[in-house]
Amino acid sequence: RTRQTPPAMEVILNQSTFTFANVSAASSEVSEIMDKVISLAILVVLFITMVSLGCTMEIAKIKAHIWKPKGVAIAVVAQYGIMPLTAFSLAKLLQLGPMEAVAVLVCGCCPGGNLSNILALALKGDMNLSIVMTTCSTVLALGMMPLLLYLYCQGLGLETAVPYTGITISLVMTLLPCAIGIFINYKAPERAKIITKVGMIILLLAFIVIGVLTSITLGSTILAVTSPPLMITAALMPLIGYILGYVLSILFKLNEPSRRTVAMETGCQNLQLCSTILKVAFPPEVIGPFYLFPFIYIVFQVSEALFFIIVFRCHERLKFSKKKVVYHQGLQDLQ
């Protein structure tokens, strides 16, 4: 059905309406171009980053995690147990509106994202476990997402909106570049170290540029989803995920690098999938600006993770300094 403008508006404001339509069309076209540029940039940067992460992995350690999947099993339970339940509980507790609650639930039911691999590397986590966990949670998402969305959303029809193509692309974008990185590390370990450093520098620069472009494109629209309850939800969800993921891995007696890895895998969600589902599942007039909730979530997801990274790095330096002092004191005693 074509949407018609009332005749009175056409007569009185004919010229204004015409001008507004042109401006609207032009701004919409610019926004679409910007979206495509940002999406392409993210894909390229993600590919380079995952190759860099692959360069830190070893085939023997990957096999060990596959044959003894204790860490992977704990991470999957945390991913599809803790996060959906946290999203549901916060939506109830903060009395979110129907569409706000749906946006939060979809975010909570998504698998782990590639960002968790980068954050795990920054925390000196187990990279082999991290990649295996991301892969497993993405594969399981093909079945777990429809099930969880059906259970938590009480049959709102979201189970039919899960973008299986998007999940498959996400899986390929994780496995293919990592495989290239693993091959480079196997054949030329020295070059692998250089590629890892260069990849991390590119990621940092790209993160700043993409952040600026996104804020320019969505700046005014994103203000619509900054209501206090949604902001509190976006702040608490990743934080609860990080903490409970770490606590769960302590209970099951995983080593320190694995604990940090499980924490990052639990709190980090695949937000591109979340945004896609919200766009696919609902028409714009129903979902409104709430499809932008993942953009609010990622700000808190990254900033909270950076806080933990800074604390961890400071702790590592202090520990190293103490060891150095003890070592020098030991030498003086010997002399």
Side-chain angles (χ1 to χ4, degrees), residues 73-313:
I74 292 164
V76 168
V77 169
Q79 183 71 56
Y80 291 115
I82 290 172
M83 294 310 290
L85 185 58
T86 299
F88 180 78
S89 302
L90 288 172
K92 283 285 186 184
L93 188 66
L94 296 170
Q95 299 180 337
L96 299 180
M99 294 317 301
E100 290 174 315
V102 165
V104 170
L105 279 169
V106 170
C107 186
C109 293
C110 280
N114 295 113
L115 187 60
S116 62
N117 309 133
I118 298 156
L119 297 174
L121 179 65
L123 279 167
K124 295 184 179 179
D126 187 332
M127 287 312 301
N128 303 285
L129 176 61
S130 181
I131 299 296
V132 172
M133 283 163 56
T134 302
T135 304
C136 288
S137 71
T138 306
V139 170
L140 287 171
L142 295 166
M144 290 300 293
M145 283 192 74
L147 175 63
L148 290 169
L149 289 171
Y150 179 79
L151 291 174
Y152 282 107
C153 294
Q154 291 294 306
L156 285 176
L158 278 174
E159 68 278 2
T160 59
V162 178
Y164 296 103
T165 305
I167 293 172
T168 306
I169 291 168
S170 177
L171 190 61
V172 172
M173 285 300 293
T174 299
L175 293 177
L176 180 62
C178 277
I180 294 168
I182 291 166
F183 181 76
I184 293 168
N185 191 27
Y186 179 72
K187 289 290 184 181
E190 291 303 317
R191 289 185 182 180
K193 290 176 183 177
I194 297 167
I195 290 168
T196 303
K197 287 178 182 178
V198 172
M200 292 302 105
I201 292 166
I202 291 170
L203 173 68
L204 182 63
L205 294 173
F207 188 79
I208 296 165
V209 173
I210 290 167
V212 171
L213 287 174
T214 304
S215 61
I216 291 167
T217 310
L218 303 171
S220 57
T221 314
I222 212 162
L223 291 173
V225 288
T226 53
S227 64
L230 267 185
M231 292 290 281
I232 292 167
T233 304
L236 288 177
M237 267 181 72
L239 185 61
I240 291 169
Y242 293 143
I243 293 169
L244 292 185
Y246 193 82
V247 169
L248 192 67
S249 58
I250 289 173
L251 293 175
F252 283 92
K253 298 178 181 179
L254 295 183
N255 60 36
E256 276 296 328
S258 295
R259 289 174 190 178
R260 295 192 292 271
T261 302
V262 171
M264 289 300 107
E265 288 291 332
T266 306
C268 286
Q269 302 297 90
N270 192 325
L271 300 175
Q272 282 178 305
L273 274 181
C274 177
S275 187
T276 303
I277 291 169
L278 292 173
K279 285 179 182 178
V280 170
F282 303 100
E285 63 271 16
V286 174
I287 192 64
F290 297 119
Y291 78 93
L292 293 174
F293 174 73
F295 292 95
I296 302 293
Y297 186 96
I298 199 170
V299 171
F300 288 102
Q301 178 176 273
V302 172
S303 56
E304 287 163 10
L306 285 175
F307 171 76
F308 288 125
I309 289 164
I310 291 165
V311 170
F312 170 73
R313 292 285 182 168

